Amino acid sequence: MKILGISAFYHDSAAALIDDGVIVAAAQEERFTRKKHDPGFPSNAVQFCLEYGGVTLNELDAIVFYDKPLLKFERLLETYYAFAPKGIRSFITAMPVWIKEKMFLKRLIKEELVKLGYDKKKPVKMLFPEHHLSHAASAFYPSPYEKAAILTIDGVGEWATASICLGEGKDITILKELRFPHSLGLLYSAFTYFLGFRVNSGEYKLMGLAPYGNPTSPEVERYVDIILKELIELKEDGSVWLNQKYFDYATGLKMVDEPAWERLFGFKKRNPEDSLEAEHCNLGLAIQRVTEEAVIKMGREAQRLTGADYLCMAGGVALNCVSNGKIQKAGIFKDVFIQPAAGDAGGALGAAQAAYHIFFGQERNITWKDDNMRGSYLGPTFSDLDVELTAKKYKATYTHFEDFKELSNEAAKLLADGNVVGWVQGRMEFGPRALGGRSILGDPRNSEMQKKLNLKIKYRESFRPFAPSVLAENCAEYFEYDGISPYMLLVHPVAEERRNPLPAGYDSMDLRNKLYFERSDLPSITHIDYSARIQTVHKETNPRYWELINAFKELTGYAVIVNTSFNVRGEPIVSTPNDSYRCFMRTEMDYLVVGNYLFDKRQQPEWQEKDNWQEEFVLD
């Protein structure tokens, strides 16, 4: 039974194909179109999934869209009615699009599929599960648990903004929902907006900014108090009630009532690219604390309702790896599994899985130890010929290695010498994290590496932290964590013995001085609060990446390297050898490894294209 899942028309469009419950392929449209968070119909991703699965559209058993458009339209109408006459401008903007296109989404999807060879005379069953059911399915079905609580938290689906479900065998039962306009995800996005970052893409920046707040400052406590007294009411079950007089997302064209927020917090909304001051960091820390408290309360409620020993998570808020680490550390559950493509992209996969197990009633046979996501390496791959054709196109010079172990040893030496290396191997990752398939790598011992990667390679804010990739078997030597974290979705502290003591007056230092203080013997991956966003690397799922880190370990004694996504600011993660070479040549990256090919920047011809990545990509 072959089922295609699709998510589209909001952000992070994607497609996924499953065959008798096994995940065959999954990819986001942005990786093909090079438009970050591309919301359009995922024609390229669908085509890739079909080709990889060796199937045509009309041979599918079902095509499944990740939410119910008419239920979403009902929510819009009821919301505008409830807030009327407020929101008339937003209503006038939104309604023509709905009436012309989204009301007839099934027809629109079929029209797009016809362009890909779909024959309407031989119709395939089309299904529309609810948004949060798609999220829940994406988390539970690939997990290793026979029974688990499922917690989904995002901005909003149709009506639901969070849900607690019970997954047992092949069945998912929805037990409790939080409904629009009250939403933890939208609350976090509102602070993302007020602090000058882009909604639906900058939330992870806010999470990275939060630790730069002063944890001992009365200002942080004051901000937390304002949030809990004026903006929201946080219930014991983790649900939130948002005071709509301060928010504008329900019927307006922006997230918040800016003058009201400026009066509340005592400073103006930050504009993108403005400098980051102490009050911005402290407010970021305050909302992160409130979010963590809400997530932990939701987790406790999920355990109370289900009695389950395990938790599965999905939805955009499940990408907040700091709160994930806190819920894991709270000991509410024996273990937690988080869908690596937790946002809307993962909804495509969940929709297909929900159809297979719930609509078609197919049993779930757990034959895997950790999870069934295959390391999330589910996207396109490439051949030696693809690399050589790219080299010919740009008249590039390279060294080809017959022996991959020899290449790994060479790349490890380059990293140990302080070089930045682009690393492209095998199938592309599904989800927002680069996991050693499409990564930029560095030496975590190098105190200048974070600065170099941010300012000269990624061209982004200097405060942005980097993640460590560590051999799974050596994780406990470096971090206060002895479990697995293959998808870079958990934050845990760096081991106590590796830390450097903080200097006197550290908490009152400005962001810049805090940033460049060496906090451990792994300065480039140790965040300001001694934490790190860990990726454990497993030989079973990514043998080549494991081989490289093992070579670095043999050379330096350290089984950990710096890993960040292979892209510049505003650009989607690279997919092809061509994408990789262009990004390599337009940055100050030192070396590029694609498959068994090594490119040295010093040996490359001068880059002739006069394009500018800052003009090509909308800055996030």
Side-chain angles (χ1 to χ4, degrees), residues 130-161:
E130 287 191 25
H131 185 95
H132 274 258
L133 178 60
S134 294
H135 275 322
S138 77
F140 177 62
Y141 291 126
S143 81
Y145 315 132
E146 176 65 28
K147 176 183 176 182
I150 311 169
L151 179 59
T152 68
I153 318 169
D154 65 5
V156 61
E158 296 89 2
W159 278 104
T161 61

Side-chain angles (χ1 to χ4, degrees), residues 521-558:
D521 66 336
L522 299 166
S524 292
I525 57 87
T526 303
H527 206 7
I528 199 160
D529 57 359
Y530 289 118
S531 68
R533 177 163 50 101
I534 303 165
Q535 180 201 1
T536 54
V537 178
H538 303 255
K539 196 171 186 177
E540 300 81 6
T541 52
N542 195 333
R544 287 189 161 221
Y545 195 34
W546 185 95
E547 188 70 51
L548 170 67
I549 301 173
N550 191 57
F552 187 79
K553 175 188 174 184
E554 291 176 353
L555 181 66
T556 66
Y558 283 72

Side-chain angles (χ1 to χ4, degrees), residues 56-60 63 110 117-125:
T56 67
L57 283 165
N58 288 94
E59 290 172 334
L60 295 169
I63 298 169
K110 284 186 176 179
Y118 180 71
D119 185 352
K120 287 195 287 187
K121 295 176 182 176
K122 303 173 184 175
V124 174
K125 186 177 291 296

Side-chain angles (χ1 to χ4, degrees), residues 243-264:
N243 186 347
Q244 290 302 303
K245 83 174 188 179
Y246 289 105
F247 298 90
D248 202 32
Y249 58 76
T251 55
L253 299 173
K254 58 186 188 301
M255 289 301 298
V256 304
D257 182 332
E258 291 175 24
W261 277 52
E262 289 168 358
R263 287 192 296 271
L264 268 184

Side-chain angles (χ1 to χ4, degrees), residues 6 14 36 77 111 141 208 271 285 326 354 382 415-416 451 475 503 509 546 559 570 579 600 609:
I6 294 171
K36 197 163 187 179
L77 288 179
E111 288 172 355
Y141 291 126
N271 293 315
L285 178 56
K326 294 287 176 67
F382 56 90
L415 290 171
K451 184 177 180 181
C475 183
M509 288 182 181
W546 185 95
D579 299 337
D600 181 337
E609 296 187 24

